[in-house]
Amino acid sequence: MAGNRKKFEETMQAAANAAWEQSWDAAITEYKRALAEFPQDADALTGLGSAYFGTGDLKAALDAYQQASEITPDDPVLLERIGQTREQLGQGKEAAGSYLASAERYLSQKQAPHLALERWKDAVRAHPDSIQAHIKLLQHYQ
């Protein structure tokens, strides 16, 4: 069932304004209102994740980011945010996997190879035992 597009756009604007002002609780409320209209909107889910991250509710942020990533699996930025959130949660190995996936998306989409390099570095930082991340860095520097 399609939601009310006008209401959705108004609440998304209100959410963006609240996030800009770092009024995270207000942003969360507005993003939830937007999602009530269009529950599968990746931008609203991403915004909700960012707002939760801003409040320090990392588990809720991770959940929102993961839902958004299921809708747009080729988005390297979402995978990067999942990695950052997992790293903050102390899930180093999982964070490294997300960073590696983000790097692969950047490369496969021919987007900014320097961002792939940064994600490989992130993966090594998050999980120093990640052989795959070390291999990718070695390949890059060769």
Side-chain angles (χ1 to χ4, degrees):
M1 179 172 116
N4 182 322
R5 177 58 60 183
K6 184 174 189 221
K7 183 177 179 183
F8 173 79
E9 290 173 3
E10 288 171 356
T11 56
M12 284 294 285
Q13 185 60 53
N17 291 341
W20 180 258
E21 295 170 5
Q22 295 185 352
S23 298
W24 301 120
D25 290 332
I28 289 167
T29 298
E30 294 301 325
Y31 282 122
K32 285 182 176 181
R33 286 180 58 208
L35 287 164
E37 297 301 320
F38 292 96
Q40 296 296 310
D41 187 85
D43 291 334
L45 286 164
T46 301
L48 181 63
S50 295
Y52 276 129
F53 194 92
T55 67
D57 189 346
L58 300 178
K59 289 182 180 180
L62 181 59
D63 183 56
Y65 288 147
Q66 287 176 322
Q67 287 180 52
S69 186
E70 288 173 14
I71 296 165
T72 56
D74 292 332
D75 185 343
V77 175
L78 272 171
L79 291 167
E80 178 182 346
R81 289 183 181 185
I82 290 169
Q84 291 168 341
T85 306
R86 285 180 166 163
E87 189 173 1
Q88 290 292 313
L89 285 166
Q91 301 171 358
K93 186 175 183 178
E94 295 83 358
S98 296
Y99 287 136
L100 288 167
S102 175
E104 292 306 311
R105 298 305 186 291
Y106 279 123
L107 291 176
S108 71
Q109 296 173 4
K110 309 273 189 271
Q111 294 181 10
H114 70 281
L115 293 176
L117 174 61
E118 292 305 313
R119 298 303 71 83
W120 293 325
K121 290 177 183 179
D122 290 340
V124 168
R125 182 192 64 243
H127 185 60
D129 294 337
S130 174
I131 302 298
Q132 187 178 4
H134 285 285
I135 289 170
K136 291 292 186 179
L137 284 172
L138 284 171
Q139 289 172 337
H140 171 78
Y141 287 119
Q142 284 181 338

